mmCIF file of all heavy atoms in Angstrom:
data_model
loop_
_atom_site.group_PDB
_atom_site.id
_atom_site.type_symbol
_atom_site.label_atom_id
_atom_site.label_comp_id
_atom_site.label_asym_id
_atom_site.label_seq_id
_atom_site.Cartn_x
_atom_site.Cartn_y
_atom_site.Cartn_z
ATOM 1 N N GLU A 450 0.638 -30.344 -58.541
ATOM 2 C CA GLU A 450 0.604 -31.606 -57.814
ATOM 3 C C GLU A 450 0.955 -31.403 -56.337
ATOM 4 O O GLU A 450 0.409 -32.078 -55.459
ATOM 5 C CB GLU A 450 1.586 -32.607 -58.436
ATOM 6 C CG GLU A 450 1.194 -33.092 -59.824
ATOM 7 C CD GLU A 450 1.730 -32.184 -60.922
ATOM 8 O OE1 GLU A 450 2.102 -31.022 -60.628
ATOM 9 O OE2 GLU A 450 1.771 -32.628 -62.077
ATOM 10 N N ALA A 506 -5.656 -23.082 -75.400
ATOM 11 C CA ALA A 506 -4.790 -23.544 -74.313
ATOM 12 C C ALA A 506 -5.616 -24.166 -73.197
ATOM 13 O O ALA A 506 -5.224 -25.191 -72.610
ATOM 14 C CB ALA A 506 -3.964 -22.377 -73.779
ATOM 15 N N GLU A 507 -6.755 -23.567 -72.885
ATOM 16 C CA GLU A 507 -7.614 -24.119 -71.832
ATOM 17 C C GLU A 507 -8.152 -25.494 -72.199
ATOM 18 O O GLU A 507 -8.273 -26.381 -71.354
ATOM 19 C CB GLU A 507 -8.777 -23.155 -71.555
ATOM 20 C CG GLU A 507 -8.350 -21.874 -70.845
ATOM 21 C CD GLU A 507 -9.509 -20.919 -70.666
ATOM 22 O OE1 GLU A 507 -10.506 -21.039 -71.413
ATOM 23 O OE2 GLU A 507 -9.410 -20.034 -69.783
ATOM 24 N N ARG A 508 -8.481 -25.668 -73.502
ATOM 25 C CA ARG A 508 -8.983 -26.989 -73.946
ATOM 26 C C ARG A 508 -7.912 -28.053 -73.829
ATOM 27 O O ARG A 508 -8.203 -29.230 -73.642
ATOM 28 C CB ARG A 508 -9.495 -26.896 -75.387
ATOM 29 C CG ARG A 508 -10.847 -26.209 -75.518
ATOM 30 C CD ARG A 508 -11.468 -26.485 -76.872
ATOM 31 N NE ARG A 508 -10.668 -25.923 -77.956
ATOM 32 C CZ ARG A 508 -10.818 -24.670 -78.427
ATOM 33 N NH1 ARG A 508 -11.721 -23.870 -77.896
ATOM 34 N NH2 ARG A 508 -10.067 -24.241 -79.408
ATOM 35 N N ARG A 509 -6.648 -27.656 -73.977
ATOM 36 C CA ARG A 509 -5.555 -28.628 -73.919
ATOM 37 C C ARG A 509 -5.238 -29.067 -72.486
ATOM 38 O O ARG A 509 -4.498 -30.014 -72.281
ATOM 39 C CB ARG A 509 -4.297 -28.043 -74.558
ATOM 40 C CG ARG A 509 -4.408 -27.879 -76.073
ATOM 41 C CD ARG A 509 -3.147 -27.309 -76.671
ATOM 42 N NE ARG A 509 -3.248 -27.185 -78.119
ATOM 43 C CZ ARG A 509 -2.977 -28.186 -78.976
ATOM 44 N NH1 ARG A 509 -2.596 -29.360 -78.523
ATOM 45 N NH2 ARG A 509 -3.090 -27.995 -80.277
ATOM 46 N N MET A 510 -5.757 -28.323 -71.508
ATOM 47 C CA MET A 510 -5.543 -28.720 -70.116
ATOM 48 C C MET A 510 -6.423 -29.915 -69.768
ATOM 49 O O MET A 510 -7.519 -30.072 -70.308
ATOM 50 C CB MET A 510 -5.878 -27.566 -69.159
ATOM 51 C CG MET A 510 -4.906 -26.419 -69.175
ATOM 52 S SD MET A 510 -5.384 -25.143 -67.991
ATOM 53 C CE MET A 510 -5.201 -26.038 -66.459
ATOM 54 N N ASP A 511 -5.931 -30.750 -68.838
ATOM 55 C CA ASP A 511 -6.746 -31.862 -68.353
ATOM 56 C C ASP A 511 -7.956 -31.316 -67.616
ATOM 57 O O ASP A 511 -7.921 -30.251 -67.009
ATOM 58 C CB ASP A 511 -5.931 -32.743 -67.379
ATOM 59 C CG ASP A 511 -4.846 -33.512 -68.124
ATOM 60 O OD1 ASP A 511 -4.977 -33.653 -69.348
ATOM 61 O OD2 ASP A 511 -3.867 -33.923 -67.464
ATOM 62 N N GLU A 512 -9.063 -32.095 -67.668
ATOM 63 C CA GLU A 512 -10.283 -31.696 -66.978
ATOM 64 C C GLU A 512 -10.029 -31.494 -65.496
ATOM 65 O O GLU A 512 -10.520 -30.558 -64.875
ATOM 66 C CB GLU A 512 -11.373 -32.748 -67.199
ATOM 67 C CG GLU A 512 -12.689 -32.425 -66.503
ATOM 68 C CD GLU A 512 -13.346 -31.173 -67.068
ATOM 69 O OE1 GLU A 512 -13.119 -30.873 -68.258
ATOM 70 O OE2 GLU A 512 -14.048 -30.483 -66.306
ATOM 71 N N SER A 513 -9.227 -32.395 -64.917
ATOM 72 C CA SER A 513 -8.947 -32.301 -63.478
ATOM 73 C C SER A 513 -8.166 -31.038 -63.150
ATOM 74 O O SER A 513 -8.406 -30.390 -62.134
ATOM 75 C CB SER A 513 -8.166 -33.536 -63.013
ATOM 76 O OG SER A 513 -6.928 -33.631 -63.708
ATOM 77 N N ASP A 514 -7.233 -30.655 -64.039
ATOM 78 C CA ASP A 514 -6.466 -29.429 -63.805
ATOM 79 C C ASP A 514 -7.357 -28.201 -63.881
ATOM 80 O O ASP A 514 -7.248 -27.269 -63.085
ATOM 81 C CB ASP A 514 -5.327 -29.315 -64.822
ATOM 82 C CG ASP A 514 -4.248 -30.360 -64.592
ATOM 83 O OD1 ASP A 514 -4.197 -30.881 -63.467
ATOM 84 O OD2 ASP A 514 -3.488 -30.646 -65.535
ATOM 85 N N ARG A 515 -8.280 -28.206 -64.912
ATOM 86 C CA ARG A 515 -9.190 -27.065 -65.033
ATOM 87 C C ARG A 515 -10.085 -26.941 -63.807
ATOM 88 O O ARG A 515 -10.334 -25.856 -63.293
ATOM 89 C CB ARG A 515 -10.046 -27.211 -66.301
ATOM 90 C CG ARG A 515 -9.295 -26.918 -67.591
ATOM 91 C CD ARG A 515 -10.264 -26.603 -68.713
ATOM 92 N NE ARG A 515 -11.170 -27.705 -68.983
ATOM 93 C CZ ARG A 515 -10.913 -28.707 -69.840
ATOM 94 N NH1 ARG A 515 -9.759 -28.723 -70.487
ATOM 95 N NH2 ARG A 515 -11.792 -29.667 -70.039
ATOM 96 N N GLU A 516 -10.586 -28.113 -63.338
ATOM 97 C CA GLU A 516 -11.457 -28.104 -62.176
ATOM 98 C C GLU A 516 -10.707 -27.600 -60.943
ATOM 99 O O GLU A 516 -11.241 -26.831 -60.144
ATOM 100 C CB GLU A 516 -12.013 -29.497 -61.919
ATOM 101 C CG GLU A 516 -12.958 -29.601 -60.724
ATOM 102 C CD GLU A 516 -14.203 -28.740 -60.886
ATOM 103 O OE1 GLU A 516 -14.597 -28.466 -62.029
ATOM 104 O OE2 GLU A 516 -14.765 -28.326 -59.849
ATOM 105 N N PHE A 517 -9.452 -28.047 -60.799
ATOM 106 C CA PHE A 517 -8.657 -27.619 -59.642
ATOM 107 C C PHE A 517 -8.438 -26.109 -59.672
ATOM 108 O O PHE A 517 -8.596 -25.427 -58.659
ATOM 109 C CB PHE A 517 -7.310 -28.340 -59.624
ATOM 110 C CG PHE A 517 -6.430 -27.933 -58.488
ATOM 111 C CD1 PHE A 517 -6.691 -28.356 -57.198
ATOM 112 C CD2 PHE A 517 -5.344 -27.087 -58.706
ATOM 113 C CE1 PHE A 517 -5.887 -27.973 -56.146
ATOM 114 C CE2 PHE A 517 -4.540 -26.694 -57.661
ATOM 115 C CZ PHE A 517 -4.810 -27.141 -56.375
ATOM 116 N N GLU A 518 -8.065 -25.558 -60.835
ATOM 117 C CA GLU A 518 -7.857 -24.118 -60.941
ATOM 118 C C GLU A 518 -9.155 -23.359 -60.668
ATOM 119 O O GLU A 518 -9.161 -22.283 -60.077
ATOM 120 C CB GLU A 518 -7.316 -23.753 -62.333
ATOM 121 C CG GLU A 518 -5.871 -24.151 -62.553
ATOM 122 C CD GLU A 518 -4.938 -23.437 -61.592
ATOM 123 O OE1 GLU A 518 -5.169 -22.261 -61.287
ATOM 124 O OE2 GLU A 518 -3.973 -24.074 -61.134
#
Side-chain angles (χ1 to χ4, degrees):
E450 292 88 342
E507 289 177 339
R508 284 196 296 271
R509 290 180 179 275
M510 289 181 65
D511 290 340
E512 179 65 28
S513 60
D514 291 340
R515 285 200 300 272
E516 181 62 26
F517 179 74
E518 287 298 323

